[in-house]
């Protein structure tokens, strides 16, 4: 994973898998044990994801459509971190063993957010996060 511009990562709780991305490209998963890489369809930043305690399931906030900066394509992750661009996110659940990827919440007019600081409660029944721009706290019931 060295010599990659815009590289960000998120290691699972067991320390066996590394979720990574380069800019705003499709997420990839590197297995430390197998030294194998798997790609997903979700294009987001790893820091907009959270691992479940089982080290298999991840939940991610991924932009439906990334916004442009002054009509030009943004440079990720730098422009997002500096606040020059924002996202309108959908929420995804990914099984890193089977590769199953599913939208669990789709943004809707009046209910959109740019999610940061994703956490799961201990029982993995709620996904909690903050909207980056309004600083409002959100909670999504995962049992349904």
């Amino acid at each position: 994973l060295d010599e990659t511009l815009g590289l960000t990562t998120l290691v699972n709780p067991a320390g066996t898998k590394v979720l990574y991305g380069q800019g705003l490209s499709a997420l990839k998963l590197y297995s430390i044990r197998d030294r194998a890489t798997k790609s997903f369809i979700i294009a987001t930043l790893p820091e907009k994801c959270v691992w479940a305690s089982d080290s298999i399931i991840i939940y991610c906030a991924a932009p439906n459509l990334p916004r442009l900066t002054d009509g030009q394509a943004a440079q990720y992750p730098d422009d997002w971190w500096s606040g020059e661009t924002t996202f309108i996110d959908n929420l995804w659940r990914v099984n890193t063993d089977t590769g199953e990827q599913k939208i669990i919440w789709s943004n809707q007019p009046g209910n959109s957010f740019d999610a940061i600081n994703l956490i799961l409660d201990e029982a993995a029944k709620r996904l909690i996060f903050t909207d980056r721009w309004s600083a409002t706290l959100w909670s999504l019931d995962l049992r349904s």
Side-chain angles (χ1 to χ4, degrees):
L1 301 179
D2 61 347
E3 298 184 29
T4 304
L5 296 176
L7 177 71
T8 56
T9 64
L10 184 65
V11 178
N12 71 353
T16 58
K17 298 175 183 175
V18 180
L19 184 67
Y20 70 97
Q22 180 181 7
L24 190 61
S25 62
L27 287 176
K28 292 184 173 56
L29 182 76
Y30 178 73
S31 171
I32 295 170
R33 290 181 182 154
D34 305 337
R35 295 183 180 219
T37 300
K38 184 185 293 188
S39 294
F40 300 110
I41 60 171
I42 301 168
T44 192
L45 305 171
E47 53 266 54
K48 292 178 71 69
C49 299
V50 63
W51 284 96
S53 61
D54 65 5
S55 290
I56 296 171
I57 303 296
I58 56 172
Y59 293 91
C60 294
N64 184 15
L65 295 171
R67 294 187 181 172
L68 301 178
T69 303
D70 296 325
Q72 298 181 7
Q75 298 295 312
Y76 298 108
D78 297 358
D79 286 351
W80 182 77
W81 275 112
S82 68
E84 293 180 36
T85 190
T86 185
F87 296 150
I88 297 174
D89 292 327
N90 292 325
L91 296 174
W92 290 75
R93 180 185 187 274
V94 179
N95 183 314
T96 61
D97 282 353
T98 66
E100 179 188 13
Q101 303 161 71
K102 179 181 175 184
I103 292 180
I104 58 172
W105 193 88
S106 218
N107 72 64
Q108 302 159 5
N111 266 346
S112 59
F113 49 77
D114 186 350
I116 57 170
N117 303 325
L118 283 72
I119 59 172
L120 287 171
D121 68 356
E122 287 185 25
K125 293 180 182 177
R126 284 203 182 279
L127 177 65
I128 302 162
F129 57 92
T130 304
D131 175 42
R132 183 173 185 203
W133 301 108
S134 68
T136 55
L137 189 64
W138 290 67
S139 175
L140 178 67
D141 188 345
L142 299 173
R143 294 172 286 187
S144 53

